[in-house]
Amino acid sequence: MKKNFLFTSESVSEGHPDKVCDRISDMVVDTYLGLEPQARVACETLTTTNKVVLAGETRGPEIKKDDLISKVRDCIKDIGYDQDGFSWKEATKVECYLHSQSSDIAMGVDSSGNKDEGAGDQGIMFGYACNETDVLMPAPIHYSHKILRLMAEDRKSGKLKNIEPDSKSQITIEYKDGKPESVKSVVISTQHSADVNQSQVRELVKPYIERSIPKNLVNGLDDNEIYINPTGNFVIGGPDGDSGLTGRKIIVDTYGGAAPHGGGAFSGKDPTKVDRSAAYASRYLAKNIVASKIADKCLIQLAYAIGVSKPLSIYVDLFDNDEEKNRHVEKLIKENFDLSPRGIREMLGLNKPIYQKSAAYGHFGRDPESDGSFSWEKTDKSEIFNK
């Protein structure tokens, strides 16, 4: 593997059109799970100028469309949109086309007789962890997320003025001997009010680079390599500037391209969908393995078939060319973890309304919270791999 290289990752804010959709789809999941922990949801959202459209399948409690539409407006308001082209108010039309889950899909997933609950679909899921940051995430994506998250917090509190919800970030880091050495460039594009020019936007945004990235990584960063709104004016943004769809930012959601992605999005899906739950389980395994300090980084792959409970395969790569250790870790996983859909949900406590928080700034590298959100970020099983 290459030891000296440049690597780049990007993030997008909660106000990015695709992230608005992820947030709304996960709100639907949370709403159903909050009323019925075994509810099934597969919700897609589309946004464009003054329009939101929900479509998909559900099984569970009866929820009035008007109640869901009201919650959609609450999401938009919390993100911060009240603009001519997109607002939480009545000027933006919300349409809901959710309907009952297919009986054929339900039959494959449901448990009955001696049949355990099966996976909600076929697919491959990846989990990854590395010791580049204290949260065991790759450095470029971690710091890209942090810049936008801190900007959003200050924007919502009123501390950061004239910056609007739609933003993107991108960080390039130089690696030497396989470790992050220095930041080579930072790109931030952010929507702003018409009351500020680009020089003022630059001065508003630059402090968040310093707050987000360790000083040893940015000490040599040339000011000419900090690109803020490089195309110029960015007043029209959000769904008014570009349409949004659920599930279009899967690399932002995971590891910024530093590890493979199985292809399935997370948002809008209840945890019987292994696209979501098995990706969380894979991260949980990989993070506990790296936290045990038996490897600097770890990649896990799980594979499933629709209607089948156990994974078809478990793949481990510790990136150290030690095949015996890799096989030993695979054995420990099989002996200590139930990776059936039901086993994953029970292990991580996933049948809870915990998903809106994950819709922006990454599903991984977050702090586990008391309500059960980000449970897959715990390192409470690392001792298993120390043996």
Side-chain angles (χ1 to χ4, degrees):
M1 296 181 63
K2 293 177 69 174
K3 294 292 185 181
N4 302 313
F5 55 91
L6 299 178
F7 195 83
T8 304
S9 295
E10 69 159 348
S11 180
V12 297
S13 71
E14 62 200 80
H16 185 281
D18 295 331
K19 281 291 150 200
V20 173
C21 293
D22 287 345
R23 166 71 180 272
I24 292 171
S25 292
D26 276 338
M27 175 277 293
V28 175
V29 174
D30 283 353
T31 300
Y32 274 87
L33 292 181
L35 295 173
E36 172 50 64
Q38 305 303 321
R40 304 272 172 81
V41 181
C43 176
E44 311 293 343
T45 302
L46 161 72
T47 59
T48 187
T49 302
N50 284 331
K51 173 121 6 193
V52 179
V53 180
L54 277 64
E57 304 79 46
T58 66
R59 191 178 82 178
E62 291 291 329
I63 300 176
K64 294 180 180 179
K65 287 187 178 181
D66 286 347
D67 291 340
L68 283 177
I69 288 171
S70 177
K71 288 178 178 291
V72 169
R73 296 192 186 281
D74 289 343
C75 290
I76 298 170
K77 185 178 183 180
D78 182 66
I79 292 168
Y81 278 116
D82 187 13
Q83 301 169 0
D84 288 342
F86 196 72
S87 171
W88 61 275
K89 297 176 181 175
E90 296 296 325
T92 294
K93 305 303 179 186
V94 183
E95 300 175 12
C96 181
Y97 298 103
L98 295 170
H99 59 83
S100 297
Q101 183 186 51
S102 160
S103 59
D104 290 346
I105 292 176
M107 179 176 61
V109 176
D110 290 345
S111 58
S112 61
N114 294 324
K115 175 185 175 297
D116 192 12
E117 176 186 304
D121 201 353
Q122 71 176 42
I124 56 174
M125 296 81 206
F126 288 96
Y128 181 73
C130 62
N131 60 8
E132 294 178 14
T133 60
D134 58 354
V135 292
L136 305 186
M137 283 288 287
I141 187 68
H142 176 64
Y143 299 127
S144 293
H145 285 322
K146 191 172 182 180
I147 289 172
L148 298 185
R149 181 171 50 78
L150 294 178
M151 286 175 59
E153 289 173 359
D154 284 356
R155 174 177 58 80
K156 289 181 175 183
S157 72
K159 185 176 179 180
L160 178 61
K161 300 183 185 302
N162 291 309
I163 297 298
E164 301 294 340
D166 190 0
S167 301
K168 301 177 77 171
S169 62
Q170 181 173 288
I171 294 177
T172 298
I173 292 182
E174 182 178 22
Y175 285 71
K176 290 187 178 179
D177 294 324
K179 299 293 183 182
E181 177 73 14
S182 61
V183 172
K184 304 306 288 185
S185 66
V186 177
V187 184
I188 301 174
S189 296
T190 184
Q191 185 185 15
H192 57 87
S193 74
D195 298 329
V196 290
N197 58 38
Q198 295 311 307
S199 176
Q200 291 169 313
V201 171
R202 185 179 182 88
E203 293 308 308
L204 288 169
V205 169
K206 277 184 66 177
Y208 293 92
I209 299 173
E210 298 172 4
R211 287 175 57 189
S212 301
I213 306 174
K215 288 183 179 179
N216 65 298
L217 292 180
V218 293
N219 277 342
L221 180 61
D222 191 316
D223 195 65
N224 291 327
E225 295 300 322
I226 298 175
Y227 303 92
I228 296 176
N229 283 8
T231 61
N233 219 39
F234 189 1
V235 174
I236 300 172
D240 186 31
D242 191 9
S243 62
L245 288 170
T246 301
R248 283 206 300 197
K249 289 292 179 284
I250 59 176
I251 301 304
V252 170
D253 285 344
T254 53
Y255 308 104
H261 192 290
F266 303 157
S267 291
K269 298 175 181 178
D270 74 77
T272 66
K273 279 71 171 177
V274 284
D275 276 344
R276 179 168 224 157
S277 57
Y280 290 170
S282 300
R283 163 65 176 173
Y284 182 57
L285 294 171
K287 188 172 184 181
N288 275 274
I289 289 166
V290 173
S292 75
K293 301 188 184 302
I294 67 167
D296 290 338
K297 54 184 176 178
C298 174
L299 177 69
I300 303 285
Q301 185 205 59
L302 302 177
Y304 291 84
I306 188 168
V308 179
S309 62
K310 66 178 182 179
L312 305 185
S313 66
I314 301 172
Y315 169 83
V316 176
D317 188 353
L318 302 179
F319 300 92
D320 58 5
N321 297 316
D322 188 336
E323 292 188 16
E324 184 177 349
K325 184 163 70 169
N326 278 258
R327 286 194 298 269
H328 179 62
V329 170
E330 288 177 13
K331 183 172 180 288
L332 289 174
I333 290 172
K334 291 174 183 177
E335 291 174 348
N336 290 278
F337 297 89
D338 180 356
L339 296 175
S340 67
R342 185 197 301 276
I344 292 171
R345 293 204 316 278
E346 292 177 352
M347 174 175 66
L348 298 178
L350 298 181
N351 285 105
K352 299 175 182 177
I354 56 175
Y355 297 106
Q356 284 189 74
K357 298 176 185 178
S358 69
Y361 314 117
H363 292 246
F364 309 127
R366 310 287 289 272
D367 292 327
E369 299 185 13
S370 58
D371 65 356
S373 54
F374 305 108
S375 58
W376 50 91
E377 291 297 306
K378 294 180 180 179
T379 54
D380 54 342
K381 302 294 184 183
S382 60
E383 289 186 4
I384 289 172
F385 302 102
N386 277 327
K387 296 178 182 176

